[in-house]
Amino acid sequence: MKKIFTVLVAFSFVFGSTSVVDAAVRADLSKPEQGINISEGDTFGHEPPVLFGVDGAADPTFTFCKTLKDKPCIEAKSINLKSHFSPCAVGVITNCIDSFYAEDESGKRTQGQFIRYVNEDSKWSFDESASNNFPKTKGMGGVWKIAGLPGATTDLYYVSTFVNMSAEKAVGSEITSEEFGVGRFESGISPIKELSGQYSASVASDSSNKSLDGSKSGGVGASYDLNSSERDNCVMLEDGKCLQRQDFPPNYRFGMTIKIGKKLSGWFHGRIYRPVLSITPSSNSQLIQIDALPVLVPSVLKKIPTAEISQELRSYLSQDRQFGEGSGYLMPGNSGKDAIDQAALWLPLIKDTATKSLQYWSFQMLNTWGESQDVQRCSNGSTDISGIVTTNALTYSAGPPSYNKSEGSLDYKVLAPHFTSKGDVAVGTYDLLLKSEVARCIYGFSKAPISGAISIVNESGQSNVATTIINEKNGWLSMSANGFSYSSPTVKIKLSQEATVVAPTPTPTPSASAKPVVKAATITCIKGKSSKKVTAVNAKCPAGYKKK
């Protein structure tokens, strides 16, 4: 019998704070084995499109709506939408994928061609309403084609931008001018091959699906065959098909251009390397273009006998709390303190080695709660994207880099196995794209050029060797580090700016006073019958003569 894993979604209607969590349970140390699953995955790729009417209760009820004018949506206090953007080329005004492309080392671009929707026959599809910032919703992303790339094992690519959006409205009334705001935004690209077999598409559920904890919202989410997906590396499941992940062709950057109906702001996190970001504003909308190299990300999927776990891990799991869990594995996710803490306790037990490593190209909006006040203040002052931080670490800090006032550095915590699944030393990557105005706000810099240094510091305070690049161009600071080995390092970035030397105002040299022009005078001098004329500026008669 196939085991089905259900993704549960915890909703909060402050835009930007929606999060995804797995089924929560208390750790059971009486079981013969304990398991850990920390893997990147493309969870958004398994989320079908759906529209919910949501009441205003503390434990909200989510009810399917067929359209925005369906009764459950009219009676709701708010409406929630999950959608995968359509290509703009199918006649969509906004909230759509404008282009997908590959770029070689010389900068030559090859544009992708949209082939078909994935899960096109999905139960839920909705027409666009641009005035409400409501996207056209059909299928679960798309299959695109780029043919002829050297080194490619396939011409097909899965491309998707997934959003979780909400709008509040008056209870009992149809939605009118209210606009949907984005609470979750994720984009991804993966080369694929289509496998036929006993596969099933994911299925959405509302509050009619019974939850494990008895809550009305606990059973809301999407169910899919986790075992088949993990076994066959399926980016996406369709009825009878697995879109199996393939490696990217070497030395190619991949990119997307996305039209956004309502400006996004804040921070992005990415599983990409050396990203280049361009944002073109238009009224209240945006055109976001991002391209980057794919990156190799480790994952851990292990079970060990309970009798063999360390006392530190045993104490951690004995806490009076619940842990994310799925199919018998603890699943702390990839980001945040809990993920880093659990990974740190598990890695010594599995010989500090990854189970497998896969290539990814993805980026998403970051929740920025808990970030340092300086970063938050300066980010909030920007009406656009403030920055994007990327790493190939197994686990990482949950938000943007934090500002360490005592050291004057932007710090970012990462943790990954020291060895790959093949036994090689894992190589770390880190990139930070930071809007120049945000950096100047954090540090109190002027508009003069900014320079900086990146250091990779381990827990003992020793620096790790890395290749680093820092430059400022087109309003963005680009900082990149790679080639460092993993354990539990902190990436520290220190920015600096030479003090502006103000040239002293020169003391004016007094000009020489103009001397009066004095003309020579001629006088006549006499002595007896003799006479002389004397011409001089101060003419005087010689001795014995007197002036006539």
Side-chain angles (χ1 to χ4, degrees):
M1 179 178 178
K2 293 182 180 179
K3 293 182 179 179
I4 301 296
F5 169 65
T6 302
V7 179
L8 303 179
V9 182
F11 291 95
S12 174
F13 294 102
V14 177
F15 298 142
S17 58
T18 305
S19 62
V20 176
V21 297
D22 304 310
V25 299
R26 293 185 183 278
D28 184 358
L29 294 173
S30 67
K31 294 192 304 183
E33 289 184 316
Q34 301 296 318
I36 185 69
N37 182 357
I38 304 177
S39 56
E40 179 64 17
D42 293 307
T43 305
F44 72 93
H46 296 288
E47 294 208 38
V50 67
L51 188 66
F52 293 117
V54 187
D55 65 17
D59 176 21
T61 298
F62 293 78
T63 307
F64 288 136
C65 298
K66 295 179 181 178
T67 68
L68 285 172
K69 296 183 179 181
D70 201 9
K71 184 178 178 181
C73 277
I74 292 174
E75 295 178 346
K77 183 178 180 180
S78 61
I79 302 175
N80 175 249
L81 170 72
K82 294 182 182 181
S83 175
H84 295 258
F85 283 180
S86 292
C88 301
V90 301
V92 180
I93 297 174
T94 188
N95 291 319
C96 55
I97 297 174
D98 191 53
S99 69
F100 157 62
Y101 57 88
E103 183 178 290
D104 66 15
E105 292 179 294
S106 71
K108 179 185 176 182
R109 287 186 181 176
T110 304
Q111 294 292 332
Q113 175 189 1
F114 177 72
I115 302 298
R116 67 176 181 89
Y117 286 101
V118 175
N119 282 321
E120 184 170 1
D121 297 328
S122 172
K123 180 179 179 181
W124 310 104
S125 61
F126 313 102
D127 293 331
E128 178 182 27
S129 177
S131 62
N132 299 110
N133 196 39
F134 186 86
K136 175 181 175 61
T137 300
K138 186 175 183 178
M140 299 172 63
V143 173
W144 295 61
K145 183 177 181 179
I146 297 181
L149 298 185
T153 59
T154 178
D155 292 340
L156 301 180
Y157 296 80
Y158 173 70
V159 180
S160 175
T161 291
F162 172 83
V163 289
N164 192 333
M165 309 176 75
S166 296
E168 294 199 24
K169 54 173 284 295
V171 176
S173 299
E174 291 184 10
I175 192 168
T176 53
S177 59
E178 296 88 349
E179 290 187 340
F180 280 76
V182 175
R184 183 175 157 211
F185 180 99
E186 303 182 42
S187 289
I189 298 168
S190 180
I192 58 165
K193 281 188 177 178
E194 298 179 335
L195 300 183
S196 298
Q198 297 297 314
Y199 302 104
S200 299
S202 54
V203 178
S205 57
D206 65 2
S207 289
S208 63
N209 183 43
K210 291 184 178 180
S211 62
L212 295 175
D213 59 5
S215 65
K216 295 177 181 177
S217 58
V220 178
S223 301
Y224 66 97
D225 186 353
L226 176 66
N227 288 350
S228 294
S229 181
E230 288 284 343
R231 181 193 67 216
D232 296 332
N233 290 329
C234 303
V235 179
M236 169 67 70
L237 293 172
E238 298 182 281
D239 288 334
K241 274 186 183 177
C242 158
L243 305 189
Q244 186 185 58
R245 186 187 307 277
Q246 304 293 304
D247 284 341
F248 285 84
N251 305 319
Y252 272 90
R253 300 173 66 86
F254 287 83
M256 301 173 68
T257 305
I258 308 164
K259 286 185 178 179
I260 308 295
K262 193 174 182 179
K263 275 188 178 181
L264 299 179
S265 60
W267 284 76
F268 283 139
H269 164 74
R271 293 302 205 176
I272 46 181
Y273 179 50
R274 301 295 303 277
V276 175
L277 178 64
S278 172
I279 300 172
T280 306
S282 175
S283 183
N284 195 37
S285 61
Q286 286 171 317
L287 188 68
I288 297 177
Q289 179 174 298
I290 183 168
D291 63 67
L293 292 163
V295 71
L296 196 67
V297 180
S299 63
V300 169
L301 182 68
K302 286 282 187 179
K303 282 189 176 182
I304 62 174
T306 303
E308 296 180 10
I309 68 173
S310 65
Q311 185 56 49
E312 291 82 2
L313 179 56
R314 187 178 296 274
S315 297
Y316 188 87
L317 297 179
S318 297
Q319 296 179 80
D320 185 20
R321 52 161 288 192
Q322 292 184 320
F323 297 88
E325 189 268 355
S327 297
Y329 294 88
L330 294 175
M331 301 179 71
N334 299 86
S335 64
K337 186 177 185 302
D338 192 43
I340 293 174
D341 288 347
Q342 286 200 48
L345 292 169
W346 276 93
L347 288 179
L349 304 176
I350 59 173
K351 300 180 180 180
D352 213 1
T353 302
T355 305
K356 61 181 178 180
S357 298
L358 297 172
Q359 286 186 318
Y360 289 89
W361 192 108
S362 65
F363 69 97
Q364 60 183 295
M365 281 177 61
L366 273 174
N367 289 328
T368 55
W369 60 272
E371 67 187 57
S372 68
Q373 291 182 357
D374 297 277
V375 174
Q376 188 175 44
R377 170 179 56 83
C378 294
S379 299
N380 290 346
S382 174
T383 58
D384 238 321
I385 305 300
S386 298
I388 177 170
V389 58
T390 81
T391 177
N392 71 337
L394 175 71
T395 59
Y396 49 86
S397 299
S402 60
Y403 181 51
N404 185 333
K405 284 188 175 181
S406 63
E407 297 187 17
S409 61
L410 289 168
D411 295 354
Y412 194 72
K413 183 71 175 174
V414 293
L415 176 63
H418 192 71
F419 300 103
T420 68
S421 58
K422 297 179 180 179
D424 301 321
V425 174
V427 177
T429 69
Y430 173 85
D431 285 277
L432 174 63
L433 271 178
L434 180 61
K435 209 164 181 74
S436 298
E437 65 184 43
V438 175
R440 286 181 166 81
C441 173
I442 293 172
Y443 282 88
F445 285 163
S446 69
K447 292 184 177 180
I450 296 173
S451 59
I454 303 176
S455 58
I456 315 295
V457 181
N458 63 23
E459 290 177 322
S460 63
Q462 296 177 328
S463 294
N464 203 330
V465 178
T467 301
T468 61
I469 301 171
I470 296 181
N471 60 59
E472 184 177 10
K473 184 179 180 181
N474 297 329
W476 290 91
L477 276 167
S478 176
M479 293 151 277
S480 181
N482 74 88
F484 55 90
S485 60
Y486 271 122
S487 53
S488 183
T490 297
V491 182
K492 290 179 173 288
I493 292 179
K494 287 189 177 182
L495 301 180
S496 59
Q497 187 178 61
E498 290 186 10
T500 304
V501 178
V502 180
T505 304
T507 302
T509 302
S511 57
S513 300
K515 294 182 178 180
V517 179
V518 181
K519 295 181 180 181
T522 301
I523 60 174
T524 302
C525 300
I526 59 173
K527 181 180 178 183
K529 294 182 179 179
S530 298
S531 65
K532 286 184 178 183
K533 289 186 177 182
V534 178
T535 301
V537 172
N538 189 16
K540 291 181 179 180
C541 293
Y545 285 81
K546 62 179 180 179
K547 187 176 179 181
K548 182 179 177 180

